[in-house]
């Protein structure tokens, strides 16, 4: 049974989609079958993997609202172990259309039952809001990964997200856990970045990932080429950081440590391992 992880933060610009794309790709090159669900109407995760979702007639929208089987909408990517359920701009109206549907908060959970056993990980890239789409992701997920940028207002709004997670636990998904808090856009030269790092680790303790995602130009450039960073520049800091994050995620989930293929890890050629921020 694959582990479902929602990548969520209602604050925009925190590296949520960047994390969804590159964590999924990093797990895939280690030969773990991964499904990336794009439920953000902006479809940035889909486009960042080279999928032109506007040209597709079967996307997340048709799965959630049209009732088509999820298997018909999943598309392959350039990486053999990574698949995507692409989003579409039509998803903008989905929350309104879902309001009157029965079990509206559990639609995605029901949809995923058909494919959970096919993947080691199912990552959900949530929209930057706490609306019905994100609520569906939290209800379907086993855990939540929360990206937090190393900026002045880093913890702004996190209380609201944590409150939403608590409500979902109480009423919809008692098993929902916090997978971890991930610090992004870190610049070790800046006092502010280090202050935020310390503050987040003080608030969340062991729930904070050891791995920190540094600011990296290649990481920012990769989506415009429709590639995860490890296919755009295998030697850059961004590639190293996300491979480290994937490894740490596996360490936190020892039951999933063996790749389904049984071939062991298969990193891209010439990808070095980097050191984590201490």
């Amino acid at each position: 049974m694959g582990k479902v992880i929602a990548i969520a933060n209602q604050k925009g610009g925190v590296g949520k989609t960047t994390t969804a794309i590159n964590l999924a790709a990093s797990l895939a090159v280690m030969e773990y079958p991964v499904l990336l669900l794009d439920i953000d109407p902006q479809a940035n995760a889909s486009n960042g993997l080279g999928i032109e979702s506007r040209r597709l007639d079967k996307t997340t929208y048709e799965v959630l609202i049209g009732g088509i089987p999820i298997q018909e909408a999943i598309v392959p990517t350039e990486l053999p172990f990574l698949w995507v359920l692409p989003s579409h701009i039509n998803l903008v109206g989905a929350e309104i259309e879902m309001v009157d549907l029965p079990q509206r908060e559990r639609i995605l959970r029901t949809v995923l039952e058909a494919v959970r056993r096919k993947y080691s990980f199912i990552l959900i890239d949530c929209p930057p809001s706490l609306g019905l789409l994100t609520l569906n992701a939290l209800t379907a997920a086993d855990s939540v990964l929360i990206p937090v940028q190393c900026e002045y207002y880093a913890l702004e709004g996190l209380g609201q997200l944590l409150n939403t997670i608590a409500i979902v636990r109480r009423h919809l998904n008692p098993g929902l856990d916090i997978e971890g808090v991930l610090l992004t856009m870190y610049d070790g030269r800046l006092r502010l970045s280090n202050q935020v790092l310390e503050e987040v680790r003080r608030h969340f303790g062991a729930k904070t990932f050891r791995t920190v995602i540094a600011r990296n130009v290649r990481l920012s450039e990769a989506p415009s080429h429709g590639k995860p960073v490890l296919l755009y520049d295998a030697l850059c800091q961004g590639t190293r950081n996300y491979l480290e994050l994937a490894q740490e995620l596996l360490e936190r989930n020892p039951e999933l440590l063996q790749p389904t293929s049984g071939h062991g890890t298969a990193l891209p050629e010439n990808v070095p391992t980097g050191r984590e921020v201490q």
Side-chain angles (χ1 to χ4, degrees):
M1 183 75 75
K3 181 161 192 177
V4 182
I5 302 175
I7 301 174
N9 189 331
Q10 79 273 21
K11 194 172 186 295
V14 299
K16 179 177 53 61
T17 297
T18 298
T19 294
I21 291 172
N22 292 295
L23 177 57
S26 296
L27 290 166
V29 297
M30 295 176 178
E31 298 191 356
Y32 290 87
V34 180
L35 173 63
L36 175 58
L37 265 63
D38 188 354
I39 65 168
D40 185 344
Q42 298 175 88
N44 289 334
S46 307
N47 298 332
L49 286 168
I51 298 165
E52 296 186 38
S53 58
R54 288 177 181 268
R55 297 186 178 183
L56 301 176
D57 55 8
K58 293 178 181 178
T59 65
T60 305
Y61 176 81
E62 284 73 27
V63 171
L64 295 179
I65 305 301
I68 74 162
I70 186 173
Q71 299 94 322
E72 295 182 13
I74 292 172
V75 298
T77 69
E78 200 172 344
L79 292 168
F81 286 84
L82 177 58
W83 292 262
V84 177
L85 177 64
S87 182
H88 193 279
I89 190 63
N90 288 347
L91 208 54
V92 166
E95 294 194 344
I96 297 173
E97 296 179 64
M98 292 167 74
V99 166
D100 295 324
L101 295 178
Q103 298 289 304
R104 61 188 182 186
E105 300 91 351
R106 294 183 168 89
I107 294 172
L108 184 58
R109 186 182 186 95
T110 302
V111 161
L112 285 180
E113 289 302 320
V115 295
R116 280 194 64 158
R117 296 185 181 278
K118 296 183 179 180
Y119 304 95
S120 296
F121 291 94
I122 298 176
L123 305 184
I124 309 175
D125 183 32
C126 299
S129 70
L130 293 178
L132 197 48
L133 287 171
T134 298
L135 195 57
N136 262 263
L138 296 178
T139 303
D142 297 308
S143 62
V144 189
L145 190 157
I146 307 171
V148 175
Q149 83 280 32
C150 291
E151 301 288 352
Y152 184 71
Y153 293 110
L155 300 181
E156 185 183 66
L158 271 190
Q160 188 180 357
L161 174 59
L162 295 174
N163 185 53
T164 300
I165 291 171
I167 292 171
V168 170
R169 279 178 181 154
R170 258 195 321 271
H171 300 289
L172 298 166
N173 184 5
L176 183 63
D177 190 17
I178 294 178
E179 188 69 42
V181 177
L182 175 68
L183 285 151
T184 64
M185 305 178 197
Y186 174 81
D187 187 339
R189 300 168 299 178
L190 302 179
R191 180 183 298 176
L192 177 60
S193 283
N194 289 295
Q195 288 174 340
V196 172
L197 181 73
E198 292 173 8
E199 185 176 2
V200 170
R201 286 179 171 170
R202 185 169 61 251
H203 272 78
F204 294 97
K207 285 295 184 182
T208 309
F209 282 101
R210 298 188 312 273
T211 304
V212 172
I213 309 301
R215 284 193 180 276
N216 181 248
V217 173
R218 307 300 271 174
L219 196 56
S220 302
E221 292 173 347
S224 66
H225 295 268
K227 295 177 181 291
V229 69
L230 57 80
L231 291 182
Y232 180 62
D233 186 345
L235 300 176
C236 75
Q237 180 72 44
T239 295
R240 293 197 299 271
N241 287 163
Y242 277 106
L243 287 169
E244 290 164 7
L245 177 63
Q247 188 60 49
E248 187 175 351
L249 181 65
L250 292 170
E251 290 170 4
R252 291 184 177 211
N253 296 275
E255 72 280 5
L256 299 171
L257 204 51
Q258 292 302 316
T260 301
S261 64
H263 298 310
T265 56
L267 300 180
E269 193 173 343
N270 295 326
V271 172
T273 57
R275 295 184 62 186
E276 298 163 344
V277 176
Q278 299 301 316

